[in-house]
Amino acid sequence: MRPRGGFGPGPVWAQRVRQLEHRARTQEERIIVLETENAALHLKLAAYQGWAGRGVNEILQLYSSHGQQQKFQRSSVVIYLHEAMKSLKQDVKSLRSFALELSKDFQRQYKACLYQVLTAVQGIQLQNEAMQMFQMKAFDLEQSLQEVTERYEREKQKRRALHNSLVELRGNIRVHCRIRPSLPFDHAAGHTISQDRHRNSLENVAYAIDDETVLVKCSRPGHAPINKTFQFERVYSATESQDTVFADVAPLLTSLLDGYNVCIMAYGQTGSGKTYTMLGPQLEENLAFVSEDESELGIIPRATQELFRLISEKPPGSYWVEVSVVEVYNNEVFDLLAKDSCGKASGIRRDVVTTREGKSDVPLLTYETVANASEFLHLVIKGLQLRVRHPTLVHAHSSRSHLVVTLTITTIVSGDNFGTSWEDEQINQRLNKEVSCTYPQKRDSKSTSSSRASSPTQLEAAEKPKQVKTRLQLVDLAGSECVGMSGVTGAALRETSCINRSLSALADVLGAIAEQRSHVPYRNSKLTHLLQDSVGGDAKLLVMLCISPSQKYLTESMQSLGFGTRARQVQRGQIKKRNLPLLSKTK
């Protein structure tokens, strides 16, 4: 394994090895050149020797032919040639000595380089071993980090489950907060906003620090900025999808079939994403849900699909579902499923009354029975077509009314499968004692169980089927508005006034419950009167706060976060459960 950069002198040793190899190659090339020159000199010596031999022969011939008179000249030539041969032999000897010395020097340098290379290789091997140890330690640390992270997630889920259990035991309202992403209309300057203020309004000031905390950067001219944090049961950042939001809502639907009333309410200013969260994107022409991309569907269509999926797992005929759709517009309740004398759907005004049991009720309200999610969505679309909408400077399709979609689930159970609460169990035990006194039996286990099973009270209960009703309310509140920013006038101004007064009444109700006042002003608004059983009654209530991240809507976002903080502090007592059988066992 090659060492990574930044760990030890690996690159330095590699460069040193390359230099030594280059020097070795240079010396080898030099030796080859010298050996070539030596061979050439040997060839020249052989040539000179041959030439000298021929010269001697010629001299002898000349001596024999010319005699004594040229003896002196021949001797001079021989002496010259002898001196030349002697000089050449000396040069060859010197050349051989130089080549031998050069070879010895090369061998010394080669051995030194080889030693350095071996030392460098050993160092690299040691570094590789150290690197492998570091990699193993890093792998072990990564594994430990992953285990700690998984353990942290498990502990966080346990803590959240325990917190939710505590919320249910205390009867607290569960509050989630969703921060929508920046949208094009956030950057459109209204006619009352200066250019400088408009540039400042483009900045985002609301962020999700984690999945339970919202950070808001508050700044005023001439004052140092202040960071404020808000804690909720769940916080969704601008990048989290509809799937993620509904994943935290889905368990409430199981609670619904377990016998609890459930209410899911979206609260926030106009344009903060309430309708998108509750319904999903809609086609402006007919308000039909976008079915091509189911990942964009909101809580209402998803909740219905999940509800009917859960019902399909129950025994056939044990449940039926009824739907009502109403809107609260200008402090009046309108039935959006009601039909006129011609059979045409038209919003008919209804009254909200309080029954003898202290529950809110809407007499003559239209309930439609549905068998699947498709039929439900068809009815909701019909109701949405009658919902009042007007454009404002803040939102081009602003809802001018509060929408309340109610699903009533009726469970048919026989008396022998009917679940009992703790109080009912105590009554049954007392009744069994009275029956056992009136109808004495033997005191063995079989006779005791037989007497309990065959007591007249229980036989009568077993023969008579019972109906248990639970209710799911899905509420898309109209958005609170600043009149100066929305730019509404005339009838729209009256609508805004009614919306703000009804939302203020809702805040007053929550404040009265939180302070445990003897009187809770439910009747100050038709909205709070209609939602009395959910806000202050025995329903599991989830408030989905929707806020904008923009500085432009900082005041409205702070108001929504304050509302959520007050709602989170409300303690209504332990939520009551309707007595339901374990139908899954009888399937």
Side-chain angles (χ1 to χ4, degrees):
M1 180 180 294
R2 298 180 63 87
R4 297 181 181 174
F7 285 88
V12 177
W13 283 113
Q15 184 178 4
R16 179 59 178 167
V17 168
R18 288 195 296 271
Q19 292 176 352
L20 294 173
E21 290 177 348
H22 177 70
R23 289 180 59 185
R25 286 194 299 271
T26 304
Q27 295 293 342
E28 289 177 352
E29 292 173 358
R30 179 62 178 164
I31 289 173
I32 293 172
V33 171
L34 292 175
E35 289 178 347
T36 303
E37 292 179 355
N38 190 13
L41 290 174
H42 275 288
L43 291 175
K44 286 182 180 180
L45 179 59
Y48 283 140
Q49 288 177 346
W51 181 71
R54 288 193 300 273
V56 170
N57 292 330
E58 290 178 358
I59 289 172
L60 293 176
Q61 291 175 1
L62 289 173
Y63 178 79
S64 61
S65 62
H66 296 287
Q68 292 294 331
Q69 56 194 6
Q70 296 181 347
K71 183 178 180 179
F72 178 76
Q73 294 178 354
R74 292 194 296 270
S75 299
S76 299
V77 172
V78 170
I79 293 171
Y80 172 76
L81 291 175
H82 181 72
E83 291 295 331
M85 290 176 60
K86 186 177 180 180
S87 176
L88 288 173
K89 288 180 178 180
Q90 187 66 32
D91 290 340
V92 170
K93 184 178 180 180
S94 298
L95 185 61
R96 285 180 177 177
S97 177
F98 176 75
L100 182 60
E101 198 64 33
L102 184 63
S103 177
K104 291 179 180 179
D105 182 63
F106 170 74
Q107 292 295 333
R108 287 194 299 269
Q109 291 187 10
Y110 176 76
K111 290 180 180 179
C113 292
L114 182 61
Y115 175 76
Q116 292 180 357
V117 169
L118 292 176
T119 304
V121 169
Q122 290 178 355
I124 292 172
Q125 289 177 348
L126 292 176
Q127 290 180 4
N128 286 338
E129 292 175 359
M131 179 67 68
Q132 290 178 356
M133 291 181 61
F134 287 145
Q135 288 178 344
M136 291 177 63
K137 289 182 179 179
F139 179 76
D140 292 339
L141 289 175
E142 289 178 355
Q143 290 289 100
S144 300
L145 177 61
Q146 184 177 0
E147 292 175 359
V148 170
T149 302
E150 292 175 353
R151 182 179 176 185
Y152 167 73
E153 291 296 331
R154 290 194 299 268
E155 293 299 327
K156 187 169 68 172
Q157 293 295 333
K158 290 180 182 178
R159 188 205 62 78
R160 182 175 293 173
L162 291 174
H163 175 73
N164 289 336
S165 299
L166 182 61
V167 167
E168 291 181 3
L169 290 174
R170 291 179 175 176
N172 289 47
I173 296 173
R174 195 172 304 172
V175 182
H176 294 186
C177 179
R178 187 179 195 185
I179 304 173
R180 70 159 172 80
S182 297
L183 298 176
F185 64 77
D186 291 338
H187 309 307
H191 62 276
T192 60
I193 302 179
S194 65
Q195 292 300 320
D196 292 339
R197 185 179 174 187
H198 172 59
R199 284 193 294 269
N200 294 333
S201 69
L202 300 182
E203 180 186 1
N204 287 349
V205 296
Y207 305 91
I209 298 180
D210 53 40
D211 58 1
E212 293 181 350
T213 309
V214 177
L215 171 67
V216 180
K217 297 181 179 180
C218 303
S219 61
R220 292 183 298 170
H223 294 79
I226 301 175
N227 292 337
K228 295 186 177 181
T229 57
F230 299 85
Q231 298 286 331
F232 300 104
E233 277 69 36
R234 183 71 164 87
V235 174
Y236 307 97
S237 66
T239 60
E240 294 190 83
S241 64
Q242 298 276 64
D243 294 330
T244 305
V245 174
F246 182 72
D248 294 321
V249 175
L252 292 174
L253 302 177
T254 303
S255 297
L256 178 70
L257 295 185
D258 286 342
Y260 293 94
N261 287 330
V262 175
C263 178
I264 302 171
M265 178 188 305
Y267 182 97
Q269 73 163 118
T270 297
S272 60
K274 299 182 304 301
T275 301
Y276 175 81
T277 298
M278 295 302 292
L279 295 171
Q282 296 172 297
L283 298 176
E284 300 301 334
E285 293 79 4
N286 56 9
L287 295 176
F289 290 96
V290 179
S291 58
E292 290 81 3
D293 187 3
E294 293 187 356
S295 64
E296 294 295 318
L297 292 179
I299 290 176
I300 291 179
R302 287 173 182 267
T304 311
Q305 293 173 357
E306 177 66 11
L307 178 62
F308 279 101
R309 187 191 69 80
L310 293 173
I311 290 177
S312 67
E313 298 175 354
K314 305 297 182 180
S318 57
Y319 291 86
W320 81 73
V321 180
E322 296 174 305
V323 179
S324 67
V325 182
V326 302
E327 70 171 347
V328 181
Y329 173 67
N330 285 346
N331 203 32
E332 296 290 344
V333 177
F334 293 90
D335 184 354
L336 299 184
L337 297 184
K339 298 179 181 179
D340 57 18
S341 57
C342 299
K344 183 179 179 180
S346 60
I348 297 178
R349 184 180 301 174
R350 303 294 188 192
D351 292 326
V352 183
V353 300
T354 303
T355 63
R356 293 181 180 180
E357 294 79 14
K359 304 291 185 180
S360 63
D361 186 29
V362 181
L364 305 179
L365 183 63
T366 303
Y367 289 92
E368 296 282 354
T369 303
V370 293
N372 50 56
S374 178
E375 293 180 3
F376 165 81
L377 292 179
H378 176 72
L379 291 176
V380 172
I381 291 171
K382 286 175 57 180
L384 289 174
Q385 290 173 344
L386 299 176
R387 191 180 185 186
V388 180
R389 295 171 179 268
H390 286 153
T392 69
L393 294 179
V394 177
H395 192 221
H397 305 281
S398 175
S399 302
R400 315 307 294 168
S401 66
H402 309 291
L403 179 70
V404 182
V405 179
T406 304
L407 290 87
T408 303
I409 294 88
T410 303
T411 307
I412 304 175
V413 295
S414 58
D416 54 350
N417 288 332
F418 196 71
T420 57
S421 63
W422 183 83
E423 294 82 2
D424 294 335
E425 184 65 27
Q426 299 300 314
I427 295 173
N428 287 338
Q429 289 180 4
R430 289 196 297 271
L431 288 173
N432 288 334
K433 287 182 180 179
E434 295 175 1
V435 171
S436 63
C437 292
T438 306
Y439 304 96
Q441 304 251 350
K442 293 182 180 180
R443 295 234 174 230
D444 54 24
S445 59
K446 293 183 179 180
S447 61
T448 302
S449 61
S450 176
S451 64
R452 291 179 181 174
S454 59
S455 61
T457 304
Q458 291 186 344
L459 285 174
E460 183 181 355
E463 294 173 357
K464 184 178 180 181
K466 296 180 176 63
Q467 293 184 0
V468 177
K469 292 181 180 291
T470 52
R471 185 169 59 182
L472 171 64
Q473 284 187 310
L474 302 166
V475 185
D476 179 23
L477 295 175
S480 57
E481 289 183 353
C482 173
V483 175
M485 185 173 292
S486 62
V488 294
T489 57
L493 180 60
R494 181 172 180 270
E495 293 170 353
T496 299
S497 177
C498 289
I499 291 171
N500 291 341
R501 282 203 305 269
S502 62
L503 295 176
S504 177
L506 180 60
D508 292 340
V509 166
L510 293 176
I513 299 174
E515 296 172 7
Q516 297 182 351
R517 300 179 201 164
S518 59
H519 173 68
V520 181
Y522 291 112
R523 299 190 184 187
N524 285 0
S525 168
K526 292 293 180 66
L527 174 66
T528 53
H529 198 182
L530 180 66
L531 300 178
Q532 175 179 343
D533 298 342
S534 297
V535 176
D538 57 359
K540 290 187 177 182
L541 176 57
L542 169 62
V543 176
M544 185 69 67
L545 292 181
C546 297
I547 64 172
S548 167
S550 175
Q551 171 74 34
K552 182 178 180 180
Y553 305 109
L554 175 60
T555 302
E556 290 77 7
S557 296
M558 290 296 293
Q559 186 272 333
S560 297
L561 293 170
F563 174 88
T565 301
R566 290 192 300 273
R568 194 165 178 250
Q569 296 170 351
V570 173
Q571 295 184 9
R572 302 174 296 167
Q574 186 173 0
I575 302 302
K576 295 180 181 179
K577 176 182 179 181
R578 271 77 179 152
N579 295 326
L580 287 177
L582 299 176
L583 289 178
S584 59
K585 293 183 179 181
T586 62
K587 185 174 179 179

